[in-house]
Amino acid sequence: MDVHSTDPASTTDGTTERRGRRGLWFALLVIGLSTAAICGPYWAASYDSVSADGIFGSFFLLMLVLFAGTFLAGAATETPLWVVVAGMLGATPVAVVGRIVLDLSADPTSHNLWPLEIVFAFVLTLPPIGVAAGLAWAIRRLSPQRS
């Protein structure tokens, strides 16, 4: 029986465990694709265009990707929500750290407040991820037990 399963009908033949692993891989894939969707446009933009508005240049895209990724990985899989939330919380800071590294290689004085940028990017991710995780949790609670 799967350690994380609360379903008494779970069998010991490994089907529940395989389904759990498949769900984890799917959640990790969604987290990775969400991170790539955030990093791609942000890293590809020139320094001049990013320095004016930072990550807010694609604010709505960022919020949509974070919300959709968290909701999809949280509602469609049996992966623990804390794993999904932890993975999605890292998406925007990864993009910001990558941008800082890119810009510092061109101009070492470009990010003199980089720790605040990382903290701000982390805080920016909280609302869409929190709402999406709450909705995913509600769907998990209201849906019939998955067999």
Side-chain angles (χ1 to χ4, degrees):
M1 181 178 283
D2 188 353
V3 204
H4 301 291
S5 177
T6 58
D7 183 15
S10 294
T11 61
T12 57
D13 65 357
T15 56
T16 304
E17 185 177 331
R18 279 194 305 271
R19 189 172 46 243
R21 269 196 234 128
R22 233 178 308 148
L24 177 62
W25 283 111
F26 179 74
L28 291 174
L29 176 67
V30 169
I31 292 167
L33 289 174
S34 299
T35 303
I38 293 168
C39 292
Y42 191 50
W43 291 352
S46 68
Y47 175 73
D48 295 332
S49 67
V50 172
S51 65
D53 54 9
I55 202 159
F56 285 117
S58 54
F59 180 75
F60 292 111
L61 172 67
L62 173 71
M63 295 297 126
L64 177 69
V65 167
L66 291 172
F67 180 86
T70 304
F71 182 75
L72 182 63
T77 69
E78 295 176 9
T79 304
L81 275 177
W82 70 267
V83 172
V84 173
V85 169
M88 292 301 290
L89 282 173
T92 306
V94 163
V96 170
V97 167
R99 187 68 208 203
I100 290 169
V101 169
L102 268 168
D103 292 343
L104 286 177
S105 66
D107 178 13
T109 63
S110 61
H111 290 271
N112 55 351
L113 296 173
W114 64 267
L116 293 177
E117 291 180 52
I118 296 169
V119 169
F120 189 65
F122 177 77
V123 170
L124 182 70
T125 64
L126 294 175
I129 291 173
V131 170
L135 288 173
W137 176 82
I139 286 177
R140 284 183 177 188
R141 297 281 292 173
L142 296 175
S143 67
Q145 291 293 330
R146 298 174 185 164
S147 55

